[in-house]
Amino acid sequence: MMRNIILSLFAVISIVAISYSHTWAFIIPEAKLSFHIVDEQGAPVEKADISVGFDQPVMRDKGTNEDIVRVLTDAKGACWVKHKTVSGVSYHINKNGYYEYYGEYQFRKAEGLKWQPWDQVVNVVLRKIENPVPMYARDSKMSKEIKLPDITSGVGFDLMEYDWVAPYGKGLHSDLILKLNNKNFKFHPTYVIEYEYDSELTITFSNRYDGIQLIKDNRRFGSEFKLPRYAPEDGYNKSISATRKLSLTEPVKQSFKDDNNYIFRIRSEEKDGKLVRAMYGKIHGDIKFYPKGPNTAVIIFKYYFNPDYTRNLEYDPKRNLFKNLEKIEYVGLE
């Protein structure tokens, strides 16, 4: 008798446990998305391979996993997909001859067992792989540290040599001229913060037609090929500046923004007062600096520099012109 009671109780506990572990499966709303894929000229892209990841619960309070559903676009560049999801989806789009594309969508509310908006339209522009070229590509955060020489005047940095100009390095061209202005710098070796300062970094250029311009793009999602394909012909500024303030009594204040990017023009040549030719490049992310003394700071930025005198900004990561880099120094498309 007691044995039967124990077996019955064990069966009930097992059923409850199974039901508990699968509860989400019966209450997860369904989501539907419709994709419309075109190229940069607006023409539909057929047979684009789309992998959509739908968030799925693993266990209570243990996060989520993904169910992957794959679909192909039709002749109109369209397709749709639906599946149950906890709250959102991520997607990856691949097509031979195009740069890969990444995105996500988070739903806000469900009505019944359908996430709203139902049949959400996702418009995507795929960028063709057209003319990737070799460039000097370097990320100072992952490479040799760039530390501003401890002087009060501006100093030139050679992007091709990845070094300061003589006598502070082996650089030959002052592509960027950096100057640090510290309104207040104090050492605090025994405090929580080592330094206190109110600093401004200014970047200027050597030649009449050199310059830089801001490009806004958070670069988190979208095509793996970021920023414009070609550098603009005009709109360049002669200088830019960034600020950072570190204090014992206030939160850190700085001008750096994640969606700040730049296109630059350097080594410009002129004849009769007109631009003849120049070299162009781009900077992914903001230019950041961290003072380490009254006149010096560590500079962090990632740049792509095309030396072929064209405005092409399409980089070939297999042909970085910096040779013998360590594996950690590899610079990809993003």
Side-chain angles (χ1 to χ4, degrees):
M1 179 68 175
M2 181 59 69
R3 181 174 179 274
N4 291 338
I5 292 174
I6 292 174
L7 289 175
S8 299
L9 182 60
F10 177 78
V12 170
I13 292 172
S14 300
I15 292 171
V16 171
I18 292 171
S19 298
Y20 180 81
S21 65
H22 288 78
T23 299
W24 273 99
F26 297 103
I27 64 173
I28 299 176
E30 192 172 43
K32 181 180 180 183
L33 297 95
S34 291
F35 289 87
H36 184 223
I37 316 296
V38 298
D39 63 19
E40 290 170 284
Q41 282 67 50
V45 178
E46 185 178 5
K47 293 183 180 179
D49 187 348
I50 306 176
S51 297
V52 185
F54 293 83
D55 291 342
Q56 304 295 310
V58 179
M59 290 177 63
R60 187 178 181 88
D61 300 324
K62 296 294 183 180
T64 60
N65 204 342
E66 283 191 330
D67 280 355
I68 305 297
V69 179
R70 293 181 62 184
V71 289
L72 294 175
T73 54
D74 60 20
K76 296 181 179 180
C79 65
W80 61 268
V81 61
K82 65 179 180 178
H83 195 70
K84 292 178 179 180
T85 180
V86 172
S87 63
V89 301
S90 61
Y91 51 90
H92 167 227
I93 304 172
N94 187 42
K95 167 76 175 178
N96 188 39
Y98 292 80
Y99 289 101
E100 295 180 31
Y101 190 103
Y102 300 87
E104 70 173 18
Y105 189 86
Q106 291 294 323
F107 294 96
R108 300 299 181 189
K109 65 176 182 178
E111 293 181 1
L113 292 179
K114 291 184 177 180
W115 283 110
Q116 301 301 316
W118 180 252
D119 200 10
Q120 171 65 37
V121 177
V122 179
N123 293 304
V124 170
V125 177
L126 285 189
R127 308 184 76 180
K128 285 186 178 180
I129 301 173
E130 292 185 355
N131 183 30
V133 296
M135 293 190 189
Y136 291 93
R138 206 74 176 256
D139 183 353
S140 67
K141 188 176 182 179
M142 307 304 295
S143 193
K144 174 187 172 184
E145 181 180 78
I146 300 176
K147 191 173 183 180
L148 193 66
D150 193 358
I151 58 174
T152 56
S153 60
V155 59
F157 188 81
D158 189 321
L159 295 176
M160 196 175 289
E161 294 294 335
Y162 190 73
D163 204 354
W164 303 104
V165 297
Y168 307 103
K170 64 179 185 297
L172 302 175
H173 297 271
S174 294
D175 295 319
L176 309 177
I177 301 172
L178 292 85
K179 185 178 187 302
L180 182 68
N181 178 24
N182 261 321
K183 300 175 185 176
N184 176 38
F185 190 96
K186 298 177 182 177
F187 286 100
H188 294 297
T190 60
Y191 283 69
V192 176
I193 60 174
E194 189 174 359
Y195 313 112
E196 186 174 22
Y197 52 77
D198 186 357
S199 304
E200 180 180 36
L201 178 72
T202 301
I203 300 176
T204 56
F205 299 86
S206 297
N207 305 302
R208 178 179 178 182
Y209 288 100
D210 290 1
I212 193 167
Q213 57 182 282
L214 176 68
I215 304 292
K216 284 288 190 179
D217 187 338
N218 64 25
R219 305 182 338 277
R220 185 182 176 193
F221 296 113
S223 175
E224 61 179 344
F225 173 29
K226 308 295 185 184
L227 307 188
R229 188 179 292 275
Y230 297 100
E233 295 186 71
D234 50 30
Y236 293 89
N237 300 307
K238 295 300 296 180
S239 68
I240 58 168
S241 62
T243 59
R244 192 170 199 270
K245 182 177 181 180
L246 185 62
S247 170
L248 289 170
T249 59
E250 302 176 49
V252 176
K253 296 180 180 178
Q254 57 189 24
S255 63
F256 318 148
K257 292 181 172 59
D258 290 339
D259 62 347
N260 280 357
N261 311 272
Y262 303 91
I263 292 177
F264 58 84
R265 179 165 66 195
I266 57 176
R267 306 194 186 191
S268 61
E269 301 173 13
E270 61 176 300
K271 184 178 181 180
D272 300 326
K274 294 183 179 180
L275 176 66
V276 176
R277 66 177 188 171
M279 296 181 184
Y280 297 85
K282 60 183 178 179
I283 295 171
H284 280 197
D286 217 339
I287 302 170
K288 302 178 181 180
F289 73 100
Y290 300 92
K292 299 297 180 181
N295 302 308
T296 186
V298 171
I299 315 298
I300 295 179
F301 69 119
K302 179 164 66 174
Y303 67 88
Y304 303 77
F305 171 36
N306 178 9
D308 70 3
Y309 286 101
T310 71
R311 294 184 294 111
N312 185 7
L313 298 179
E314 188 176 359
Y315 166 60
D316 185 348
K318 296 179 180 179
R319 295 189 288 167
N320 193 337
L321 293 173
F322 284 116
K323 304 302 181 184
N324 302 316
L325 296 179
E326 299 293 334
K327 187 175 181 180
I328 194 173
E329 296 179 285
Y330 171 80
V331 179
L333 290 168
E334 169 51 37

